[in-house]
Amino acid sequence: MKDLLGIMSKVKEMQSKMEQLQAELEAIEVEGAAGGGMVTVRLSAKGALKAIHVDPSLLNPDEAEILEDLIVAAHADARAKGERIVQEKTQAITAGLPIPPGMKLF
């Protein structure tokens, strides 16, 4: 029974920390780049798109497909960075709790 009470106490503590983490992740921004920095995308660590920058030299109508691909690549780069931050911060909070591998808390 002591183990159950200990686990419940840790779960409540973790829940409080997760709420704080949610707010923190909204404030953290990551930047992804593609095309040697000609396209950059800025996201919150939770994945909300904040900004896109496109070098004016890419605004050629004949090369629209290249620009689209670079935006997608920059977004994927930023998203991966944000996911790493979320994973690191989540592991720090859940350390010591028996959470099954691969279980997503967000």
Side-chain angles (χ1 to χ4, degrees):
M1 192 61 140
K2 285 184 180 180
D3 290 333
L4 181 59
L5 292 176
I7 289 174
M8 292 303 292
S9 172
K10 285 185 178 183
V11 167
K12 284 186 181 189
E13 181 182 328
M14 183 184 71
Q15 183 179 18
S16 173
K17 288 181 180 180
M18 291 300 271
E19 289 172 4
Q20 293 172 354
L21 177 59
Q22 290 287 334
E24 184 181 338
L25 292 175
E26 281 294 331
I28 293 173
E29 291 187 358
V30 293
E31 187 172 283
M38 294 182 80
V39 174
T40 59
V41 174
R42 196 169 68 240
L43 305 175
S44 74
K46 289 183 73 176
L49 182 62
K50 299 290 187 174
I52 295 176
H53 171 75
V54 176
D55 187 282
S57 67
L58 293 173
L59 300 177
N60 180 346
D62 295 332
E63 297 179 359
E65 189 174 333
I66 293 170
L67 177 57
E68 292 165 354
D69 291 343
L70 290 173
I71 291 171
V72 170
H75 182 272
D77 183 41
R79 182 86 179 164
K81 290 175 183 176
E83 288 175 356
R84 279 193 298 273
I85 290 171
V86 169
Q87 183 180 17
E88 290 168 5
K89 292 188 175 287
T90 302
Q91 284 178 344
I93 289 174
T94 60
L97 287 177
I99 296 177
M103 180 178 170
K104 293 197 176 232
L105 298 175
F106 292 97

